[in-house]
Amino acid sequence: MSSLEVVERGLELAGQRHVLQFWPELGEQDRERFLQELALLDLDGLRAHCERAAAAATSPPASVDRHIEPVPPELIGSVRKSDRESLSAWEEEGLLQISQNRVGVLLLAGGQGTRLGVQYPKGMYNVGLPSNKTLYQIQAERIHKIQELADVKRGSKCTVPWYIMTSEFTLAPTEKFFKENDYFGLEPSNILMFEQRMIPAVTFDGKVILQGKGKIAMAPDGNGGLYQALVDNKVLEDMKRRGVEYLHVYCVDNILVKMADPVFIGFCVSKGADCGAKVVEKAYPAEPVGVVCRVQGVSQVVEYSEIQPDTAELRGPGGELLYSAGNICIHFFTRAFLQEVAEKFEGQLKPHVAIKKVPFVDSEGNHVKPTKPNGIKMEKFVFDVFPFSRNFVAFEVLREDEFSPLKNADGAATDNPTTARNSLLAQHCRWATAAGATLLDQHGKPLPPAASVSPADAPPAQCEISPLVSYFGEGLELLKGEKLQTPLMLDEKKAKDLQAQ
């Protein structure tokens, strides 16, 4: 049986014979390419995938209100509520683990910047900082700095390997960008890029969508595709070889992310956790973020659409929201837990439905760009593994210090380049003033403190501090008593000049 006959038979059994409707019109090269793409499809599981997608799209979200409860307070650490001694001890523990090469960071970077209005990976985006640094550069420099801080603390030379999960869309441009920028000063052998799987987009009646006459519309399988990708690309073996026991996982679009955060890692390790999540307090009851909580005693993230408004409004005795732990996609996993997920639980992860506008070719072969949603993309989420954890913990951080995602183009109300840029600049203004500096405007007049600035406002000053100078506000004693003219870009050279004065 020829390759084409095998594929034809598989498509027939899956109820997807239409995929080959334009085969007679394709040239030899296009046929070969299309056949290779089809051979990579899981034809045996294709019918089930399409049927599941069509059924899930018509199912209303389940309500979990009767079974929901907050995460017990003893399993939550907090930069707001935990005492200073505990926070310092956790930081020391985290730095110790980093210094012993037991910590890696893993970046979820499979999505394109479509909502942002660009056709390249989000990590390559420049939000308009005085330095013009991209998200990738900021993150790379934070890895560099945390390695340095751990080295100084422990008198050793350590490495925090950077694992970057990409997709078919983002791998090549990301590799090229890193090469062109000399890996931002990091050792290339400590940066490992790998691809997640792609799965077909499906119509509401369960038919695979053709993007071209010889191309299926494919999409990454969500950030929960991580667990299969770890197996496919032998990433867990690489971690084991390096001695990495703990992994700090995050999304590419958060400009404030603390790479390999020693406080969070130290907290999770001290609690003997196999799985942990950073959370921020919800801004208001109906804020559209997932909530970290328990359902029938099992830790998980519940989507905001699954919680009734009355439940979202519930408050505790101190007036605080009962379900306030907003998920920000920053997680901690032990390698042993990830190994267990890969071996036992990956097949149990339930896909989620995303209704999208998917460009397609119609029955006449014309390219159509739909104006309303016409397709279903099935995604898995990285937090879908929380229920399999034996010892789950949560760690609350301040939104203004650690969470400002970049999702939309300027013009959108929130999560755009301006709000991301302002979040970082306002944070750096707070660091400078906390260190004892006075920031001056262009006329030499002192600027107001930055504490009350929200990301939507203009920041009080253009003050940017390089991650190579300070990871999270530490090491800025050199600014004490200084009057600093803004705009200010405090890089390593400027810091040395100030120290020399």
Side-chain angles (χ1 to χ4, degrees), residues 53-206:
T58 57
S59 305
S63 175
V64 296
D65 287 51
R66 283 181 302 148
H67 309 293
I68 192 173
E69 57 187 0
V71 176
E74 64 271 19
L75 299 181
I76 302 178
S78 171
V79 295
R80 283 192 310 141
K81 299 171 190 166
S82 298
D83 59 79
R84 282 195 175 182
E85 291 76 16
S86 296
L87 290 167
S88 293
W90 295 332
E91 184 173 36
E92 281 295 316
E93 178 64 35
L95 285 169
L96 172 65
Q97 298 298 336
I98 292 167
S99 73
Q100 294 177 340
N101 300 311
R102 290 159 67 85
V103 176
V105 289
L106 192 147
L107 165 58
L108 304 170
Q112 293 170 292
T114 316
R115 271 164 67 190
L116 196 51
V118 296
Q119 294 305 308
Y120 52 81
K122 269 193 200 175
M124 291 163 56
Y125 196 84
N126 166 8
V127 300
L129 291 168
S131 65
N132 284 315
K133 286 176 183 175
T134 60
L135 295 178
Y136 280 147
Q137 182 171 354
I138 293 166
Q139 291 165 20
E141 290 180 356
R142 285 184 188 143
I143 291 176
H144 194 285
K145 188 63 176 177
I146 198 63
Q147 289 177 164
E148 186 186 286
L149 290 173
D151 288 347
V152 169
K153 269 274 190 219
R154 297 285 159 189
S156 59
K157 184 79 179 133
C158 70
T159 296
V160 175
W162 195 5
Y163 298 96
I164 302 177
M165 183 175 81
T166 64
S167 68
E168 181 185 293
F169 301 132
T170 61
L171 179 60
T174 299
E175 284 180 330
K176 183 169 179 276
F177 190 68
F178 271 68
K179 272 184 194 154
E180 286 171 352
N181 289 278
D182 295 323
Y183 299 90
F184 307 104
L186 295 173
E187 177 57 51
S189 63
N190 295 325
I191 300 173
L192 186 77
M193 297 183 197
F194 60 100
E195 255 185 89
Q196 67 184 112
R197 288 188 180 184
M198 305 286 284
I199 53 175
V202 177
T203 62
F204 297 130
D205 57 354

Side-chain angles (χ1 to χ4, degrees), residues 296-316:
Q296 293 182 313
V298 177
S299 300
Q300 55 189 272
V301 174
V302 173
E303 288 299 296
Y304 63 94
S305 57
E306 297 171 346
I307 301 176
Q308 296 300 320
D310 288 353
T311 305
E313 298 269 1
L314 291 174
R315 294 185 181 270

Side-chain angles (χ1 to χ4, degrees), residues 234-460:
K234 297 186 165 41
V235 177
L236 292 169
E237 285 92 327
D238 183 87
M239 289 177 192
K240 187 176 183 180
R241 183 178 57 77
R242 292 173 186 267
V244 171
E245 297 296 336
Y246 308 114
L247 203 60
H248 185 229
V249 177
Y250 72 101
C251 278
V252 69
D253 59 11
N254 181 8
I255 198 169
L256 298 180
V257 64
K258 286 176 75 179
M259 308 286 287
D261 176 12
V263 183
F264 179 46
I265 288 160
F267 168 73
C268 293
V269 171
S270 300
K271 294 288 182 185
D274 55 4
C275 178
K278 270 193 187 184
V279 298
V280 295
E281 187 176 19
K282 281 179 72 174
Y284 52 94
E287 184 182 9
V289 293
V291 173
V292 177
C293 57
R294 281 184 165 186
V295 178
Q296 293 182 313
V298 177
S299 300
Q300 55 189 272
V301 174
V302 173
E303 288 299 296
Y304 63 94
S305 57
E306 297 171 346
I307 301 176
Q308 296 300 320
D310 288 353
T311 305
E313 298 269 1
L314 291 174
R315 294 185 181 270
E320 73 287 354
L321 286 172
L322 206 54
Y323 298 104
S324 66
N327 176 47
I328 58 173
C329 199
I330 298 177
H331 307 311
F332 165 93
F333 299 114
T334 63
R335 181 173 55 80
F337 177 68
L338 290 173
Q339 192 73 50
E340 194 175 26
V341 167
E343 289 170 4
K344 296 183 190 172
F345 303 126
E346 203 283 329
Q348 296 177 39
L349 299 182
K350 291 189 178 78
H352 304 259
V353 171
I355 307 294
K356 305 275 188 179
K357 289 185 256 190
V358 183
F360 66 99
V361 288
D362 63 19
S363 56
E364 304 297 314
N366 302 310
H367 285 270
V368 180
K369 209 169 178 182
T371 53
K372 58 183 183 180
N374 65 313
I376 306 158
K377 292 181 180 178
M378 299 291 276
E379 302 173 324
K380 291 173 182 172
F381 296 153
V382 69
F383 55 70
D384 288 336
V385 298
F386 289 4
F388 305 120
S389 166
R390 290 190 186 88
N391 191 4
F392 176 85
V393 295
F395 190 72
E396 185 200 25
V397 296
L398 296 175
R399 186 186 295 246
E400 61 266 31
D401 279 336
E402 298 202 36
F403 185 55
S404 183
L406 175 64
K407 297 193 180 296
N408 308 309
D410 268 327
T414 58
D415 302 343
N416 58 51
T418 299
T419 58
R421 179 177 66 249
N422 288 352
S423 293
L424 190 74
L425 294 174
Q427 181 188 58
H428 291 186
C429 286
R430 292 195 296 275
W431 290 357
T433 51
T438 302
L439 297 173
L440 307 175
D441 67 15
Q442 56 192 16
H443 307 296
K445 291 182 179 171
L447 285 155
S452 61
V453 173
S454 83
D457 300 329

